[in-house]
Amino acid sequence: MPEQPFEQDRAIAGTGMGGAMDLATSEAETLERTPGGPEGTGPAERPRSLWSDAWRDLRRNPVFIISALVILFLIVISLWPSLIASGNPLKCDLAKAQEGSQPGHPFGYDGQGCDVYTRTVYGTRTSVTVGVLATLGVALFGSVLGGLAGFFGGAWDSLLSRLTDIFFAIPVVLGGLVLLSVVTSNTVWPVIGFMVLLGWPQISRIARGSVITAKQNDYVQAARALGASNSRLLLRHITPNAVAPVIVVATIALGTYISLEATLSYLGVGLKPPTVSWGIDISAASAYIRNAPHMLLWPAGALAITVLAFIMLGDAVRDALDPKLR
């Protein structure tokens, strides 16, 4: 039987919609648009990690954006306070003591005749410095102790658990009154050291639980079976997958440490004059709250906004990193 000549019309199939569709062309276009293609032959979409997903969620979270902008502003003025305050926070004029708002001095003057606006701006440096350094110290010290205890277990784990129980039983404010009352230094280091001393147990316990959970995963067991050393397991496989809870708790705790510094300074055992601190100014203004409430309002408001910003940031980071909320 003679071979029929090829007709182009036969390669066109009716769609039933009054038109025609080239099957071969349509199928190719569909495969190109399909991630991975048939049996993985097409261009595959790159899988996203936990951190990329978290960053994508954070960028869409208005709480994170607002708190991050406030914190960025606080960091800038703590590094360069002269950008928005040209005066000297230690320059006072007793003739203007307790006076209210004036041109060039929007927050008025305190009981010693110092500009409240300038002192509030320069107090940001002290509070942010104490909060950031204390959080870094607590996070590093607590994570190392808790991570090693959770990874190796045994007697070291039992000893650390009992030690954290002892530190949890110490009231923070009472401990600060006892330990810092004998310190005569005017620097921030004794306050930071005290916060690290009493703050590491919380981070340590969280890091321990996170490492115990991470080391039971299949990829860790596979790496161990292939002969990976303990240091490689900790640094390469466990730490990247166990650090998220530590970051969340440390971010929220940063605002708590700023509040704790102000509390200790208010009680007279934290930072001491001539250091500029919100806690010191609030303590000095408490005696004049009826006659000159502006002396208390501005440093207390700055403290509240700062603590709230860090707590909001921690909540946003927690929501982004918690896989249960996805």
Side-chain angles (χ1 to χ4, degrees):
M1 182 176 181
E3 187 175 319
Q4 296 291 336
F6 174 78
E7 297 181 6
Q8 186 175 1
D9 292 342
R10 294 183 180 179
I12 305 298
T15 62
M17 300 294 291
M21 177 179 63
D22 189 335
L23 295 180
T25 303
S26 175
E27 183 178 1
E29 292 177 352
T30 303
L31 294 179
E32 288 178 359
R33 291 195 299 266
T34 303
E39 300 181 358
T41 58
E45 182 181 358
R46 186 176 181 180
R48 293 191 300 264
S49 64
L50 171 65
W51 302 103
S52 61
D53 284 342
W55 175 240
R56 183 191 61 182
D57 294 341
L58 287 174
R59 288 181 299 176
R60 300 175 180 177
N61 191 344
V63 174
F64 170 78
I65 295 175
I66 294 173
S67 59
L69 290 176
V70 173
I71 292 172
L72 179 62
F73 173 73
L74 293 172
I75 292 175
V76 170
I77 65 174
S78 65
L79 294 176
W80 302 284
S82 59
L83 291 176
I84 62 174
S86 58
N88 186 349
L90 301 179
K91 183 179 180 181
C92 305
D93 185 1
L94 285 175
K96 299 181 180 179
Q98 302 182 34
E99 291 186 3
S101 177
Q102 298 180 5
H105 305 278
F107 293 176
Y109 296 89
D110 63 7
Q112 301 296 323
C114 302
D115 185 20
V116 176
Y117 172 77
T118 304
R119 291 187 63 86
T120 301
V121 171
Y122 276 83
T124 307
R125 171 182 294 178
T126 303
S127 297
V128 172
T129 299
V130 171
V132 170
L133 293 181
T135 301
L136 290 177
V138 168
L140 291 176
F141 187 63
S143 297
V144 170
L145 291 182
L148 293 177
F151 182 78
F152 292 105
W156 170 251
D157 188 17
S158 300
L159 177 62
L160 182 67
S161 298
R162 302 292 76 78
L163 191 61
T164 54
D165 292 338
I166 294 174
F167 275 90
F168 272 128
I170 301 176
V172 177
V173 177
L174 180 60
L177 290 173
V178 174
L179 296 178
L180 295 177
S181 60
V182 298
V183 177
T184 59
S185 175
N186 291 329
T187 64
V188 299
W189 298 110
V191 178
I192 294 174
F194 163 75
M195 293 181 181
V196 174
L197 179 63
L198 293 187
W200 69 268
Q202 181 185 18
I203 296 292
S204 176
R205 181 163 292 183
I206 293 173
R208 172 184 174 273
S210 185
V211 168
I212 290 176
T213 302
K215 77 175 184 179
Q216 297 174 354
N217 292 327
D218 293 338
Y219 59 85
V220 177
Q221 302 300 327
R224 189 189 299 274
L226 292 174
S229 62
N230 289 334
S231 59
R232 181 178 178 83
L233 289 175
L234 273 171
L235 299 178
R236 190 69 179 271
H237 301 286
I238 295 180
T239 299
N241 296 281
V243 73
V246 175
I247 294 177
V248 172
V249 175
T251 306
I252 297 176
L254 201 156
T256 304
Y257 293 138
I258 293 177
S259 178
L260 178 59
E261 177 273 319
T263 301
L264 295 174
S265 298
Y266 177 86
L267 295 175
V269 296
L271 301 177
K272 301 175 178 62
T275 304
V276 181
S277 168
W278 290 336
I280 295 176
D281 290 349
I282 293 173
S283 177
S286 60
Y288 306 97
I289 188 172
R290 291 187 177 182
N291 299 328
H294 66 275
M295 295 170 49
L296 178 66
L297 175 63
W298 296 111
L303 175 63
I305 292 174
T306 302
V307 174
L308 179 61
F310 281 105
I311 292 177
M312 291 171 57
L313 180 68
D315 289 340
V317 173
R318 179 198 59 195
D319 295 341
L321 293 178
D322 190 352
K324 297 180 181 178
L325 300 177
R326 297 185 179 279

